[in-house]
Amino acid sequence: MPQSPAAAARQILVLLQEVMAARTGAQAKLNKVVEIIGQSLSSEVCSIYLVREGVLELFATRGLKQEAVHVTRMAMGEGLVGLIATNVETLNLDEAASHPDYSYRPETGEELFHSFAGVPIVRRERAIGVLCIQHVEPRRYEEVEIEALQTVAMVLSELIANAELADDHPGDLRVQETGSNIMTGLQLVMGMARGHVVFHQPRIHIEHTVAEDTEAERQRVISAFTKMREQIDRMTGAAEFGVDGEHQEVLETYKMFAYDEGWTRRINEAIDSGLTAEAAIERVQQRTRMRMRQIDDPLLSDRMHDLEDLANRLLRIVSGQLGTAAQMGLRQDAILIARNLGPAELLEYDRRRLKGVILEEGSLTAHVTIVARAMGVPVLGRVRDIRHKVNEGDLILMDVIGNRLIIRPTPDMDEAFENKLNVTQKRRAEFVAMRDLPSVTKDGQRVELMVNAGLREDAQALDLVGADGIGLFRTEFQFLVSATLPQREKQQRLYKDVLDAAGDRPVIFRTVDIGGDKALPYMRQEDEELEDNPAMGWRALRLALDRDGLMKAQARALLEAAAGKVLHVMFPMVSEPWEYEEARALVERQRAWLAGQKRKLPTAVRYGAMLEVPALAEVLDILLPRVDFLSIGTNDLTQFLFAADRAHPKLAERYDWLSIAILRFLDRVVRACEAHDVPVGVCGEMGGRTLEAMALVSLGIRRLSITPASVGPVKAMIRSIDAGELQGDMREMLASGVTDIRSRLTEWARARQVELN
């Protein structure tokens, strides 16, 4: 479309205002709306589906068969329309029938149309309907068309709600349940807590979407931005704990978003299209949420969470609904409930009363998680629909260690929780007492226990848990929490700080693993497109070798940071030996250049490769003579071996790390490394689970890199086994082809009183 997004949306809004002002029934208005949108966007089909009695009903259409209106009905989650409503996300497809969720309805006559675009009609954070367009020819819709649809959907939400055409969601009402309920989530910050429910902020309902005076709306937004920035400046300047390292970077990045001109411009463009200040902020926020859902990597999506958090703050200011639980004060021990939180918002709470945080979203690397960890506040994330399962003031028992939330517990549950809390504290004390003991099996075999890290403060965990070093330092974290490409000097400071904190213990730096679903906005090229399968795409070493300027800067930063020490460098996602050789040569060239500049260098450089791509196992005889060590990345390796995304809800639990296929594969790799006298370790979640770690030890793995919280339990397991006996029994299981290795190992451990907790 030749016109600007604002002009296209404004043209539609002017016509919609006339429709809404007309003295006709709601059905007639919707019939007119689909005609207006269809004509304005030159769309052959425009349809509106509304949620009625829990299902989606075709309410109005231009282009489909009229006899299908009020006849075609789909369950939530069924077909493309059901998918949009369930996920509250936009779809833009050049060939609708090729989508796995496509559902053909013959009564509509939609088989004539190939392209499809749909947006949710949102009311109070939930979809009450879907607005979609279709064309005969296959084509992907322009951004201007999608933005126009999103704007119209906001106005339709107001019309539909006022006419009471769609279901009123029970989530908008007070929870009627009074009995106990148990929920689970994603363990973000370990700990146990007991407190009463406090909602982070009241829901802000936008009642008026169409602006009468766009200039007045713009001035309201400008004023709100000024107030918001003043708030952020005060909060980040008055943080209670010492904010150095990543804490400081987190808050600086958060503050930078508050001053981001691109964000301001997008909101002003939405106002230009005819929306009120509140509706403009909400439309930009909806787009942010949709982008977040398209980002598989949590590190990059966390940057979006900060922007959404600021949008919530801006929306509260512009609407005059300023109250949050933090500003009103906590009156008793509290468990905070929110969809998500920004780091600055968490700092507003009274740390004496705040006992825990439960989020509907969140991730291990979220900025709020980093700050909560520093504050010592337990956090459980991805607790689905928690805000609609509890009432303000409900008692919650929060056990992040056991991944359990008990809502409105009975007295017996409360007593059992207190008993577990006491046992957990005692067990933690036992791990602390074991901290300085060696990680050695009963028959004298040493197993190195190292930790995975990615932040400056993670190095402090070495002393806290008695780890042998850092087996995987993810260098990309610094790139992903920064709004611009980190300068070489900044990278060097981080690496030096980590090496200094580790002392004589080794730190294995994995070179930057970005690209694919971890795309960096400041590195994106105009000709790049979103990959269909980013986990297996242009990422990690592939991208780094292609853009060698980034890798050269990182190599120099690592070499200079490790001056006078041994530097361990590991390359991710190596598929063939030549990739490793090319990466190693690049680092060596930087080493030679620094030597020519008379710079102080590492005493030695040890090079390693990550085995994540199964193809590398077929050429180990070529690779191993050239490497100093090998690390097996079990997370990616598992999904590549089984062609199964472990993040997919239907596949996450389907493939077992203790399946004979995985263990035989790992056994073959370990045997090859032993034959070439190359140390081999495992970095990944598999090594952090006691039973799985026991299986790895039985294969001959003698280095595990795991989360700091796993070091104590895994060390206790290692000190309670006879590795020689275990190794023999595992070899017998692998040779016999048994398929229930998990149950066999569990029974083996139980019979010998192995520590598995």
Side-chain angles (χ1 to χ4, degrees):
M1 295 177 65
Q3 56 187 332
S4 70
R10 188 164 54 246
Q11 176 186 355
I12 295 174
L13 282 188
V14 168
L15 295 171
L16 286 185
Q17 279 184 294
E18 296 175 2
V19 172
M20 293 174 71
R23 303 178 70 175
T24 57
Q27 180 67 59
K29 288 181 178 179
L30 291 181
N31 292 341
K32 187 64 177 173
V33 165
V34 294
E35 289 294 333
I36 290 172
I37 299 170
Q39 291 172 11
S40 299
L41 298 181
S42 302
S43 178
E44 291 149 334
V45 174
C46 178
S47 304
I48 295 173
Y49 293 79
L50 299 184
V51 179
R52 301 273 288 178
E53 298 177 356
V55 299
L56 284 150
E57 179 180 316
L58 178 61
F59 234 79
T61 186
R62 171 192 195 254
L64 299 183
K65 293 179 180 179
Q66 288 300 315
E67 52 265 35
V69 174
H70 301 304
V71 173
T72 297
R73 292 161 68 91
M74 287 175 285
M76 296 291 285
E78 180 185 2
L80 301 179
V81 171
L83 184 68
I84 292 169
T86 300
N87 294 342
V88 196
E89 67 179 7
T90 292
L91 278 183
N92 185 356
L93 307 170
D94 53 8
E95 188 58 70
S98 65
H99 193 283
D101 287 289
Y102 176 76
S103 177
Y104 171 57
R105 292 305 180 94
E107 72 273 13
T108 65
E110 63 183 346
E111 69 273 11
L112 300 173
F113 307 99
H114 292 267
S115 58
F116 174 95
V119 300
I121 302 171
V122 181
R123 181 76 172 173
R124 298 177 180 178
E125 301 181 13
R126 295 193 177 196
I128 59 171
V130 172
L131 171 65
C132 54
I133 56 176
Q134 295 170 264
H135 276 81
V136 169
E137 79 279 6
R139 73 179 184 89
R140 196 165 179 83
Y141 291 91
E142 299 294 332
E143 187 172 338
V144 55
E145 296 170 290
I146 298 299
E147 289 191 357
L149 284 178
Q150 290 170 336
T151 300
V152 170
M154 294 194 72
V155 177
L156 279 178
S157 173
E158 186 178 338
L159 167 64
I160 292 162
N162 291 339
E164 299 182 347
L165 292 177
D167 289 349
D168 184 20
H169 289 289
D172 296 328
L173 306 175
R174 180 174 170 82
V175 177
Q176 299 300 313
E177 299 176 43
T178 56
S180 299
N181 193 4
I182 296 176
M183 302 182 74
T184 61
L186 176 67
Q187 299 153 299
L188 299 181
V189 180
M190 292 297 181
M192 297 178 69
R194 182 182 187 277
H196 296 271
V197 168
V198 170
F199 290 105
H200 170 56
Q201 63 189 47
R203 295 186 183 92
I204 297 174
H205 304 312
I206 299 173
E207 301 299 337
H208 301 292
T209 55
V210 181
E212 294 181 4
D213 183 343
T214 55
E215 191 54 40
E217 299 300 319
R218 193 184 326 282
Q219 291 305 315
R220 292 176 64 213
V221 165
I222 291 171
S223 175
F225 262 106
T226 301
K227 290 180 182 177
M228 182 193 69
R229 289 164 178 166
E230 289 173 353
Q231 287 181 4
I232 300 302
D233 289 343
R234 284 197 303 270
M235 278 192 303
T236 55
E240 290 185 22
F241 59 85
V243 285
D244 57 353
E246 259 62 37
H247 295 143
Q248 187 175 10
E249 289 183 12
V250 161
L251 295 176
E252 284 176 355
T253 302
Y254 182 86
K255 185 175 177 179
M256 187 169 49
F257 274 131
Y259 286 85
D260 180 58
E261 293 301 323
W263 183 40
T264 309
R265 185 185 66 253
R266 287 190 293 275
I267 292 174
N268 277 312
E269 287 173 352
I271 290 174
D272 288 339
S273 72
L275 294 177
T276 61
E278 290 90 344
I281 296 166
E282 175 63 18
R283 196 190 81 175
V284 173
Q285 192 175 9
Q286 282 183 15
R287 188 178 177 193
T288 300
R289 290 189 199 117
M290 291 168 190
R291 285 187 64 193
M292 283 163 54
R293 290 191 181 96
Q294 295 167 0
I295 299 172
D296 292 330
D297 186 84
L299 292 172
L300 189 54
S301 68
D302 292 334
R303 293 163 54 86
M304 294 297 188
H305 283 312
D306 285 355
L307 191 55
E308 183 175 17
D309 170 55
L310 285 164
N312 286 333
R313 182 177 293 274
L314 188 65
L315 193 55
R316 288 200 302 274
I317 293 171
V318 82
S319 66
Q321 301 178 44
L322 298 175
T324 66
Q327 289 159 345
M328 291 183 282
L330 302 177
R331 295 186 296 275
Q332 58 184 334
D333 288 351
I335 303 293
L336 189 65
I337 309 289
R339 182 172 66 208
N340 218 318
L341 280 173
E345 291 204 309
L346 186 62
L347 291 172
E348 289 184 294
Y349 282 91
D350 182 350
R351 293 168 63 188
R352 296 167 299 178
R353 293 291 192 188
L354 182 62
K355 299 301 178 182
V357 176
I358 302 171
L359 303 174
E360 286 188 348
E361 298 176 0
S363 74
L364 285 165
T365 52
H367 288 171
V368 68
T369 304
I370 295 169
V371 174
R373 190 182 299 124
M375 293 171 66
V377 176
V379 182
L380 191 68
R382 302 194 190 171
V383 184
R384 188 173 181 180
D385 223 22
I386 180 64
R387 290 177 300 158
H388 303 111
K389 299 289 186 183
V390 295
N391 294 307
E392 188 93 17
D394 281 348
L395 178 63
I396 284 189
L397 307 179
M398 186 177 175
D399 179 7
V400 183
I401 299 168
N403 193 7
R404 250 163 67 106
L405 291 179
I406 303 177
I407 301 167
R408 298 177 292 273
T410 64
D412 288 344
M413 290 175 174
D414 203 357
E415 182 180 352
F417 179 83
E418 289 296 331
N419 291 337
K420 181 174 181 180
L421 180 59
N422 293 333
V423 170
T424 300
Q425 290 171 340
K426 180 181 177 183
R427 188 69 173 143
R428 192 179 299 120
E430 291 174 358
F431 291 149
V432 171
M434 194 188 299
R435 179 181 59 194
D436 297 325
L437 296 177
S439 179
V440 177
T441 64
K442 290 167 69 174
D443 56 336
Q445 298 196 40
R446 178 83 162 88
V447 180
E448 285 184 283
L449 290 183
M450 308 178 82
V451 296
N452 297 330
L455 304 171
R456 185 181 274 104
E457 77 267 12
D458 287 346
Q460 299 168 7
L462 292 174
D463 292 324
L464 293 175
V465 301
D468 296 309
I470 296 177
L472 170 63
F473 190 89
R474 302 180 177 97
T475 59
E476 65 271 11
F477 278 25
Q478 188 182 29
F479 291 77
L480 293 166
V481 301
S482 177
T484 57
L485 185 68
Q487 294 180 338
R488 180 174 54 81
E489 293 78 9
K490 194 172 183 180
Q491 294 181 51
Q492 182 180 334
R493 283 198 302 273
L494 170 63
Y495 306 149
K496 186 177 187 306
D497 288 348
V498 172
L499 286 165
D500 289 345
D504 295 331
R505 290 164 293 197
V507 177
I508 298 176
F509 291 98
R510 184 179 72 183
T511 57
V512 66
D513 181 0
I514 54 174
D517 56 6
K518 285 186 275 190
L520 302 178
Y522 51 79
M523 284 185 59
R524 187 169 294 157
Q525 292 180 343
E526 291 183 2
D527 59 348
E528 287 182 350
E529 294 183 0
L530 189 65
E531 298 184 69
D532 291 335
N533 197 338
M536 301 171 74
W538 199 244
R539 54 168 279 211
L541 193 60
R542 298 166 180 173
L543 183 147
L545 290 175
D546 180 58
R547 300 187 178 181
D548 61 358
L550 181 151
M551 196 168 179
K552 286 176 182 176
Q554 183 174 43
R556 280 186 57 189
L558 285 166
L559 289 163
E560 292 189 272
K565 300 182 178 182
V566 176
L567 173 63
H568 296 80
V569 179
M570 178 167 66
F571 304 117
M573 206 174 178
V574 178
S575 303
E576 297 186 83
W578 70 264
E579 293 174 322
Y580 165 81
E581 289 288 0
E582 195 169 318
R584 186 183 187 279
L586 184 150
V587 178
E588 282 297 308
R589 286 195 295 272
Q590 296 306 305
R591 189 182 184 186
W593 185 87
L594 289 171
Q597 299 295 309
K598 307 301 182 184
R599 304 283 180 85
K600 193 175 180 182
L601 294 170
T603 56
V605 181
R606 304 276 184 253
Y607 293 99
M610 283 197 75
L611 195 158
E612 303 162 276
V613 181
L616 193 62
E618 298 301 323
V619 287
L620 287 178
D621 58 319
I622 303 173
L623 176 73
L624 290 175
R626 309 176 187 185
V627 301
D628 296 303
F629 62 92
L630 190 76
S631 284
I632 303 171
T634 52
N635 292 2
D636 271 341
L637 177 63
T638 302
Q639 68 174 356
F640 293 154
L641 274 174
F642 285 117
D645 182 358
R646 291 185 63 84
H648 193 293
K650 292 183 180 178
L651 300 176
E653 301 300 326
R654 184 166 180 174
Y655 298 106
D656 188 356
W657 268 318
L658 295 185
S659 85
I660 191 169
I662 292 176
L663 294 177
R664 280 184 171 180
F665 183 94
L666 294 176
D667 183 58
R668 185 155 57 94
V669 172
V670 173
R671 300 286 81 78
C673 290
E674 288 176 346
H676 287 83
D677 197 25
V678 172
V680 58
V682 163
C683 49
E685 292 178 51
M686 184 177 181
R689 302 184 180 190
T690 50
L691 190 66
E692 283 82 348
M694 193 175 89
L696 292 172
V697 172
S698 77
L699 298 177
I701 297 289
R702 292 297 178 266
R703 188 184 77 238
L704 301 174
S705 189
I706 55 184
T707 63
S710 300
V711 171
V714 171
K715 181 183 285 189
M717 178 275 294
I718 289 170
R719 290 178 58 83
S720 65
I721 62 171
D722 183 312
E725 180 189 2
L726 176 61
Q727 210 158 353
D729 291 347
M730 174 58 80
R731 195 147 306 287
E732 183 181 327
M733 281 187 265
L734 294 181
S736 63
V738 298
T739 56
D740 60 341
I741 291 180
R742 178 173 292 279
S743 60
R744 294 283 193 96
L745 281 178
T746 302
E747 182 55 39
W748 190 96
R750 186 181 296 115
R752 291 158 182 79
Q753 297 184 318
V754 175
E755 296 272 2
L756 284 183
N757 295 322

